[in-house]
Amino acid sequence: MQGKTMALRILITAACLLVMLPIVFNSLRDVEAGPAHQSDRIGPVYPIIEPDWSTWLPKQIQKRLAEQPLTVSRNQIRAALNRQVSDFDLPEVKTPRTYTIDPSVRVPHPGTDPLGRTLAVGEPLNPMTYLAGFRPIVVIDSRKERHVEWAKRALTETNSIVLTLTGDGLTLSARLGAPVYPAPPQLLERLSITRVPVVISGADGRRVRVEEVIP
């Protein structure tokens, strides 16, 4: 029984990592590089020897499964994954509205930014400054069929990332033909999202634009 529980925990952890990797990679790939002469100031450049997690992690999962096959069913895995998703019950948008959020934070400790600039404690830091842009993010309540149909239309028009407040993300992913991720509570709170569906995008290079849409 203990071996079964441990195997299930390992698979859940790996699955959660695989779910989050695309969001992380899609955000990081748009980070702007520093000035062309910056490498001349930081010294020699060496090749990266660490493996790429997007290829390394799936191989490790396959290797672990080959060494110790799972003794749990697919339904048990699905149920365990769904238990990791928090349910949110937000009202539906009835009147369209658009607003912007300044994502800046105050630096808690001395450090440097991605371009090597020294940052003092309390100095405002806006992550949008270092991003060339990011894919639109749509947030829906997958329990409502009209939200799912709206998300399907949004996916045909833009290469969006889909987040859901609740529901079976695996089933919805198969239905939409695109990955569906649970909506992080911190994101909803930070962007003051109180109604759905919404579209999150970049505004003017310094602010985040939130558009509340009637599905």
Side-chain angles (χ1 to χ4, degrees):
M1 182 65 183
Q2 185 176 2
K4 180 185 296 186
T5 302
M6 180 62 68
L8 183 57
R9 288 178 178 175
I10 292 172
L11 187 60
I12 291 174
T13 302
C16 291
L17 286 172
L18 285 174
V19 164
M20 295 307 298
L21 280 175
I23 295 181
V24 175
F25 290 151
N26 286 326
S27 297
L28 292 180
R29 70 180 183 181
D30 293 328
V31 175
E32 296 179 339
H37 63 276
Q38 187 174 3
S39 60
D40 297 333
R41 293 186 286 106
I42 63 176
V45 177
Y46 301 96
I48 298 175
I49 61 174
E50 291 84 1
D52 185 342
W53 268 53
S54 62
T55 57
W56 178 85
L57 184 58
K59 290 180 179 179
Q60 294 302 308
I61 295 174
Q62 292 298 329
K63 179 181 177 181
R64 186 60 181 263
L65 290 177
E67 296 173 349
Q68 184 179 355
L70 289 177
T71 56
V72 294
S73 68
R74 188 180 185 87
N75 287 337
Q76 286 177 295
I77 297 173
R78 181 184 296 273
L81 287 173
N82 286 337
R83 285 196 296 270
Q84 310 302 312
V85 181
S86 301
D87 288 345
F88 299 97
D89 189 13
L90 298 181
E92 185 176 84
V93 175
K94 299 300 182 183
T95 304
R97 181 177 69 129
T98 300
Y99 60 91
T100 59
I101 294 289
D102 183 351
S104 297
V105 296
R106 296 287 177 178
V107 178
H109 307 288
T112 58
D113 68 4
L115 300 181
R117 185 172 61 90
T118 301
L119 299 173
V121 175
E123 183 177 349
L125 179 64
N126 189 334
M128 296 290 288
T129 305
Y130 310 99
L131 295 175
F134 60 88
R135 292 167 56 188
I137 301 171
V138 301
V139 185
I140 64 172
D141 185 340
S142 61
R143 294 171 299 185
K144 300 177 180 178
E145 181 63 22
R146 53 186 173 275
H147 286 211
V148 176
E149 291 299 321
W150 173 81
K152 186 183 299 184
R153 294 194 300 271
L155 283 171
T156 61
E157 298 172 0
T158 62
N159 185 25
S160 302
I161 297 172
V162 181
L163 306 181
T164 180
L165 298 180
T166 186
D168 187 341
L170 296 177
T171 299
L172 187 56
S173 295
R175 181 176 176 184
L176 295 180
V180 177
Y181 310 102
Q186 298 86 349
L187 178 69
L188 302 178
E189 180 180 359
R190 184 67 184 86
L191 299 183
S192 302
I193 296 176
T194 57
R195 302 186 299 174
V196 289
V198 299
V199 180
I200 305 169
S201 60
D204 55 4
R206 295 193 59 83
R207 292 177 295 174
V208 176
R209 182 174 184 264
V210 181
E211 180 182 3
E212 298 178 343
V213 182
I214 298 178

